[in-house]
Amino acid sequence: MTTQEKEAAEPASKVDLPGESGGGGEIPTYNLTLKVRRYNPEVSEEAHWEDYELEMFGTDRVLDALHKVKWEIDGSLSFRRSCAHGVCGSDAMRINGRNRLACKTLLKDLDLSKPVTVEAIKGLPCEKDLIVDMEPFFQSYREIMPFLMNEGHEPERERYQSQEDRDRFDDTTKCILCAACTSSCPVFWTDGQYFGPAAIVNAHRFIFDSRDDAGDLRLEILNDKEGVWRCRTTFNCTEACPRGIQVTKAIAEVKQAVLARAF
Amino acid sequence: MQLHKYDVVIVGAGGAGMRAAIESGQRARTAVLTKIYPTRSHTGAAQGGMCAALANVEEDNWEWHTFDTIKGGDYLVDQDAAEVMAKEAIDAVLDLEKMGLPFNRTPEGRIDQRRFGGHTRDHGKSPVRRACYAADRTGHMILQTLYQNCVKHNVEFFNEYYVLDLVMTEVDGKPRPSGVVTYDLATGEVHVFQAKSIVFASGGCGKIFKTTSNAHTLTGDGMAIAFRNGLPLEDMEFVQFHPTGLAGLGILVSEAARGEGGILRNSEGERFMERYAPTIKDLAPRDIVARSMANEVREGRGCGPNKDYVLLDLTHLEPEHIDAKLPDITEFARTYLGVEPYTEPVPVFPTAHYAMGGIPTNIDAEVYRNSEETVPGLYAAGEVACVSVHGSNRLGTNSLLDINVFGKRAGIKAAEYAATADFLPVPEDAAQPTQDLLDLMRNGKGDQKVAVLRKELQDVMDADMQVFRTADTIHNALDKIADLQERYKHIQIQDQGKRFNLDLLEAVELGFLLELAKVMSVAALHREESRGGHFREDFPNRDDDKFMKHSMAYLDEGAETDSVAGIRLETKPVIFTRYEPMERKY
């Protein structure tokens, strides 16, 4: 990371802009079939697929399509969403069989000649339509003690940390706890007791933080039979992460750290 | 109906709510009620930084920060509050670092700092590096760090509990809070939480507008609940429009992009901010930049096929610099607009971003029930509140600061008050108004749809209550709001179930939005001057003789303000300590 670069020269007062700067032009429209797996135990114990024919714009995302259904066709369609630009982590779901955030998946990037399928993420109990019970996921997160523990006496000002030490765990600080990784993991699907990638990512964030003193404790927890050794390196998690975190790599680094400490 | 009993109840689990919970939870039995999971809160969308005069990279002090905050707010800031915030900013940042927040570092290993709009050295001489940051996800790191520390301290959360009402009990003829009424999204059950202290930290109301950086869930619930319970709302006419929303989408592109050297250009390639703010140019405060951009577009120098946006140019910056300092926002441009910021300028236009107004409080986060008296046991902090540290225009980074400083104060004060106070009785029928409201929504058989009404509201607010306002446009908005409020009585929802009935909650939220839009518009109509985020083309100058005061809006069925029925407008004096109002130039 570079800091305190030398002052850059003042940018020009006027430049010639390239033609058609910033994209533009007419926004194309698309027709598509959105196929949503509906489930409402108040109505039926059985889930079923429902098709919706929609006309959408090229800049729309899957979340816009879901909103169109909810707001114009069927108000009972239920899903979580908040920020709508990929930072809050509310709307992880299975889109065409892959875990994605609905608000970060542009329709134009999908094959619209076939129905776009949307269903709840797997491995967590479905509550209604695209909403799952997140509690088991957060339980695993809490178990790895996701907070800084430092035994030294508190300095008056900030603790110092070199840029290299800060960079060491940068990637895993990006996690938004959306559960896209954990619920894409085949091990987690068959064994809900497995901590899962997200909990390990968040352990990594502290284990490799030079300010933290509880790495050994977390490594001991993750050396458990439901810990890092359950990972089969299928890379589903890395592919699923909407934040681009190298999840499998982080898990591998935690495995190496466990071995290095040799419990 | 289930009844719960806690010493302190905190409504909302964003930055302010969780910062309060960390303090309160260690001192008193505390529950946090939140309509979304804590880590989903919109604090996490804040990008650029949190200012504090640490002076880690250049000379700085909290007095300069105080001055910038007051001038930035066009002198409508309560100066005692700005002083508290700027002074306590330093500990607020250090607290977060000790809690584990991974700030970017200087080569010496200290917390790094960068420039931000309106933050200057020595009272406006030049931009100063004051914003502490973690890449362009500072808000994300604050939200995560506070949540982590809530986990550490075993804070008790009630997730997906929508607070829909405040229970007030008369004591010696004065209103006092005794609890809140909540709706559990998972089951559809109504719960009452009895508490000695109640802290509102439920965020803003950006969804009044169509083009907004705010989350779908920011529907002003806390503000509207306070208002419906007879409490005033302060300075609601002041809304911040952030200059750089992605064009057409409103998604935020942090001011850090300009802090790191990005500049704005019009269709002629001109760096037009040189004309509007010759000294600090693109780093002028947000209200000035947003108006300048809108003006360029109005005068025909907008870009794109409809000439309706300007460009944020980062192309003269090194790609490595962009990757290190602005990774997320450049990815937004790629994902949502298909623009490569290394080589192409990014289309941007102002987006509704922040409510400067809200529930009035003093510097201890105690809620005012009129211009003099506070309500013992009732607190508010963060965007829902108006301390007022932001006056008529908030400086960038000061909201992340506000939630930390006043969230902490609210948590401590609420717990201290609870230690000395008794529970007040909650009336048997406390939940009845909420039940009635929900039944009304659920059983409505009219022909009006929530999504249609909401869209019409957002369209008219974008058209008539955005960066330029006149009496005519505001009247137009008010007429439309009245029409929508009438039609709102005839809505029908489709979901009749108990579980996760978001259809029902969206209907309730629309009621909040309509109510607040009306307050906002009435206050804007009455303020016949231009100040900070409120710009009246028919009154383009600041008028200190008539309007150097806070507006206080009350729900009052018998009242009339500027021929609009139902709202009583009063005023509250601005608190001055050492800064005389001056003309605001940059």
Side-chain angles (χ1 to χ4, degrees):
Chain A
M1 205 163 290
T2 53
T3 317
Q4 308 208 315
E5 306 76 5
K6 62 182 192 302
E7 269 325 289
E10 193 69 359
S13 290
K14 194 166 189 305
V15 295
D16 288 329
L17 291 172
E20 282 309 305
S21 271
E26 283 298 297
I27 299 170
T29 59
Y30 300 98
N31 290 305
L32 70 131
T33 305
L34 191 73
K35 202 177 177 67
V36 185
R37 189 173 162 89
R38 303 289 310 264
Y39 170 69
N40 184 356
E42 281 182 278
V43 178
S44 162
E45 279 305 316
E46 292 295 310
H48 68 282
W49 289 94
E50 198 136 334
D51 288 2
Y52 304 94
E53 304 298 329
L54 306 172
E55 186 184 86
M56 303 297 298
F57 289 100
T59 49
D60 284 336
R61 304 154 256 173
V62 171
L63 180 62
D64 297 307
L66 290 168
H67 271 146
K68 196 171 175 78
V69 173
K70 184 173 183 67
W71 293 341
E72 295 178 20
I73 303 171
D74 184 352
S76 73
L77 176 64
S78 301
F79 50 91
R80 294 191 178 105
R81 88 286 188 257
S82 189
C83 80
H85 64 284
V87 297
C88 80
S90 299
D91 61 349
M93 49 191 77
R94 261 169 92 79
I95 298 166
N96 284 350
R98 284 182 52 200
N99 279 7
R100 325 268 294 255
L101 296 182
C103 64
K104 264 192 109 171
T105 307
L106 271 69
L107 290 170
K108 69 176 174 58
D109 296 336
L110 301 172
D111 176 4
L112 300 181
S113 65
K114 291 182 289 189
V116 173
T117 63
V118 181
E119 59 195 304
I121 48 176
K122 287 169 73 173
L124 292 162
C126 187
E127 297 278 358
K128 183 184 179 187
D129 295 338
L130 304 172
I131 295 176
V132 299
D133 179 8
M134 294 291 287
E135 193 41 42
F137 173 81
F138 278 101
Q139 182 59 36
S140 293
Y141 169 77
R142 288 192 292 265
E143 279 172 20
I144 55 92
M145 298 185 290
F147 39 82
L148 192 82
M149 286 184 271
N150 188 295
E151 286 152 11
H153 74 277
E154 279 203 347
E156 213 167 285
R157 296 277 298 195
E158 71 261 46
R159 291 191 187 86
Y160 278 41
Q161 183 170 49
S162 71
Q163 292 179 347
E164 293 71 39
D165 285 346
R166 166 65 180 77
D167 284 350
R168 181 67 190 86
F169 63 102
D170 186 64
D171 200 35
T172 46
T173 66
K174 295 174 189 162
C175 176
I176 55 174
L177 298 167
C178 67
C181 60
T182 295
S183 65
S184 74
C185 173
V187 179
F188 182 75
W189 295 339
T190 54
D191 175 8
Q193 297 301 305
Y194 171 43
F195 278 93
I200 301 171
V201 159
N202 281 280
H204 179 284
R205 178 251 170 274
F206 289 101
I207 291 165
F208 292 95
D209 186 336
S210 59
R211 300 169 299 170
D212 186 84
D213 294 330
D216 284 349
L217 201 57
R218 292 193 191 86
L219 291 171
E220 204 174 317
I221 293 168
L222 291 173
N223 194 29
D224 181 88
K225 69 175 169 50
E226 301 295 353
V228 283
W229 305 112
R230 300 298 312 266
C231 167
R232 303 285 169 78
T233 334
T234 48
F235 283 92
N236 282 19
C237 50
T238 303
E239 209 172 292
C241 179
R243 305 282 293 151
I245 299 170
Q246 297 300 308
V247 182
T248 315
K249 179 167 172 249
I251 296 173
E253 288 176 355
V254 172
K255 286 178 181 171
Q256 280 160 11
V258 173
L259 291 174
R261 313 269 162 132
F263 289 104
Chain B
M1 185 198 82
Q2 295 188 48
L3 185 70
H4 308 256
K5 211 168 167 177
Y6 285 85
D7 291 327
V8 178
V9 159
I10 296 169
V11 182
M18 291 204 283
R19 190 66 190 80
I22 288 168
E23 298 301 329
S24 170
Q26 296 179 67
R27 295 171 169 85
R29 196 159 170 269
T30 301
V32 182
L33 314 181
T34 170
K35 75 177 188 179
I36 48 178
Y37 274 84
T39 57
R40 312 301 180 219
S41 304
H42 214 51
T43 296
Q47 297 164 354
M50 170 168 163
C51 274
L54 297 182
N56 275 4
V57 294
E58 63 179 303
E59 185 189 1
D60 198 7
N61 65 64
W62 64 261
E63 190 272 322
W64 294 351
H65 188 180
T66 308
F67 172 79
D68 289 338
T69 299
I70 291 164
K71 182 181 172 189
D74 220 348
Y75 296 91
L76 199 71
V77 171
D78 285 326
Q79 299 189 358
D80 59 334
E83 238 170 79
V84 163
M85 185 172 77
K87 207 185 287 186
E88 294 182 9
I90 294 162
D91 276 340
V93 167
L94 297 178
D95 280 354
L96 287 169
E97 196 284 326
K98 286 167 191 167
M99 287 186 210
L101 198 142
F103 285 107
N104 277 42
R105 300 287 172 158
T106 66
E108 302 78 42
R110 309 176 73 177
I111 294 169
D112 198 11
Q113 300 187 274
R114 66 176 165 205
R115 292 171 178 164
F116 237 81
H119 290 279
T120 68
R121 57 170 280 107
D122 195 9
H123 313 93
K125 295 227 165 58
S126 60
V128 72
R129 292 187 174 89
R130 186 179 290 149
C132 310
Y133 66 100
D136 56 355
R137 49 176 184 279
T138 314
H140 164 77
M141 292 317 328
I142 288 176
L143 189 71
Q144 295 292 326
T145 301
L146 293 176
Y147 183 62
Q148 289 157 4
N149 280 269
C150 285
V151 170
K152 178 177 176 180
H153 294 297
N154 284 313
V155 169
E156 205 172 336
F157 289 102
F158 289 81
N159 296 324
E160 302 191 316
Y161 275 59
Y162 283 64
V163 171
L164 299 181
D165 202 4
L166 171 64
V167 187
M168 299 290 263
T169 303
E170 291 261 315
V171 177
D172 303 329
K174 289 180 179 174
R176 298 264 296 277
S178 55
V180 293
V181 183
T182 75
Y183 176 91
D184 174 11
L185 183 67
T187 63
E189 298 294 328
V190 169
H191 296 233
V192 173
F193 284 74
Q194 188 181 17
K196 297 174 181 174
S197 298
I198 293 163
V199 182
F200 272 91
S202 50
C205 55
K207 276 291 157 181
I208 287 175
F209 294 89
K210 180 175 82 175
T211 307
T212 176
S213 63
N214 280 207
H216 285 286
T217 41
L218 286 169
T219 48
D221 307 9
M223 294 175 187
I225 290 165
F227 184 69
R228 288 177 182 183
N229 278 280
L231 296 166
L233 293 178
E234 179 176 352
D235 290 344
M236 288 297 286
E237 61 272 41
F238 297 105
V239 177
Q240 177 163 87
F241 297 90
H242 193 292
T244 53
L246 288 184
L249 295 168
I251 295 172
L252 183 66
V253 176
S254 171
E255 196 167 302
R258 282 171 286 135
E260 295 291 350
I263 56 172
L264 295 163
R265 294 194 187 280
N266 59 21
S267 59
E268 287 158 28
E270 273 181 304
R271 184 184 189 184
F272 58 83
M273 282 311 298
E274 287 176 341
R275 281 188 271 119
Y276 298 93
T279 309
I280 58 177
K281 301 175 186 127
D282 298 88
L283 285 174
R286 290 172 177 176
D287 57 326
I288 294 173
V289 180
R291 262 195 306 280
S292 306
M293 292 166 67
N295 197 52
E296 289 297 304
V297 165
R298 247 183 4 176
E299 292 180 358
R301 292 186 294 277
C303 307
N306 302 317
K307 298 176 101 38
D308 57 357
Y309 55 77
V310 299
L311 298 170
L312 175 65
D313 187 1
L314 304 173
T315 57
H316 54 288
L317 303 178
E318 291 298 322
E320 301 82 63
H321 183 70
I322 293 176
D323 286 347
K325 298 297 178 64
L326 308 165
D328 281 9
I329 59 178
T330 45
E331 197 202 311
F332 295 155
R334 289 182 196 114
T335 304
Y336 296 115
L337 293 181
V339 167
E340 175 47 66
Y342 295 160
T343 54
E344 296 169 88
V346 181
V348 288
F349 200 69
T351 180
H353 185 54
Y354 188 87
M356 268 72 75
I359 302 172
T361 73
N362 63 18
I363 54 171
D364 289 325
E366 294 167 344
V367 171
Y368 280 106
R369 69 180 183 90
N370 54 41
S371 298
E372 290 100 37
E373 287 172 280
T374 56
V375 186
L378 190 60
Y379 304 84
E383 190 173 345
V384 73
C386 178
V387 187
S388 155
V389 282
H390 309 305
S392 61
N393 171 63
R394 175 174 70 73
L395 287 190
T397 78
N398 272 355
S399 61
L400 289 179
L401 182 53
D402 176 5
I403 59 178
N404 277 286
V405 168
F406 292 101
K408 178 177 180 177
R409 282 178 161 246
I412 293 171
K413 286 287 165 186
E416 285 176 356
Y417 178 78
T420 62
D422 291 322
F423 283 101
L424 295 174
V426 172
E428 289 264 315
D429 59 352
Q432 202 52 51
T434 302
Q435 288 288 8
D436 292 346
L437 174 75
L438 293 169
D439 288 345
L440 191 72
M441 301 281 119
R442 228 191 307 253
N443 302 328
K445 292 284 176 277
D447 56 356
Q448 299 293 324
K449 294 190 83 162
V450 169
V452 173
L453 300 190
R454 187 175 50 216
K455 183 173 182 306
E456 288 184 30
L457 171 71
Q458 292 169 340
D459 283 344
V460 77
M461 294 302 280
D462 263 28
D464 292 332
M465 279 285 291
Q466 228 230 21
V467 295
F468 296 118
R469 302 167 174 175
T470 68
D472 283 347
T473 68
I474 300 169
H475 274 298
N476 192 51
L478 279 164
D479 290 348
K480 183 73 188 180
I481 293 164
D483 166 56
L484 292 169
Q485 284 189 312
E486 191 52 41
R487 286 160 62 194
Y488 181 66
K489 294 175 187 158
H490 306 286
I491 55 166
Q492 183 175 169
I493 63 164
Q494 287 172 287
D495 194 337
Q496 294 295 319
K498 295 281 256 178
R499 297 166 68 85
F500 293 93
N501 191 339
L502 289 155
D503 203 22
L504 175 66
L505 270 313
E506 282 192 31
V508 175
E509 289 170 337
L510 175 61
F512 294 151
L513 291 175
L514 287 168
E515 194 128 26
L516 295 174
K518 180 175 173 181
V519 175
M520 198 178 271
S521 305
V522 169
L525 183 63
H526 190 72
R527 189 175 284 275
E528 295 181 332
E529 65 156 353
S530 291
R531 183 189 297 271
H534 171 70
F535 191 84
R536 286 282 299 262
E537 290 188 273
D538 42 357
F539 297 94
N541 298 314
R542 195 174 87 191
D543 184 348
D544 286 352
D545 290 340
K546 278 169 79 178
F547 291 107
M548 179 61 89
K549 50 199 176 187
H550 300 293
S551 64
M552 300 279 274
Y554 297 80
L555 181 67
D556 184 343
E557 291 192 1
E560 206 174 86
T561 298
D562 296 341
S563 73
V564 181
I567 290 176
R568 185 174 83 249
L569 219 50
E570 295 181 4
T571 61
K572 185 159 78 75
V574 176
I575 298 170
F576 290 89
T577 56
R578 61 169 104 171
Y579 303 99
E580 283 292 316
M582 293 186 302
E583 194 193 350
R584 183 162 165 260
K585 281 196 297 203
Y586 287 95

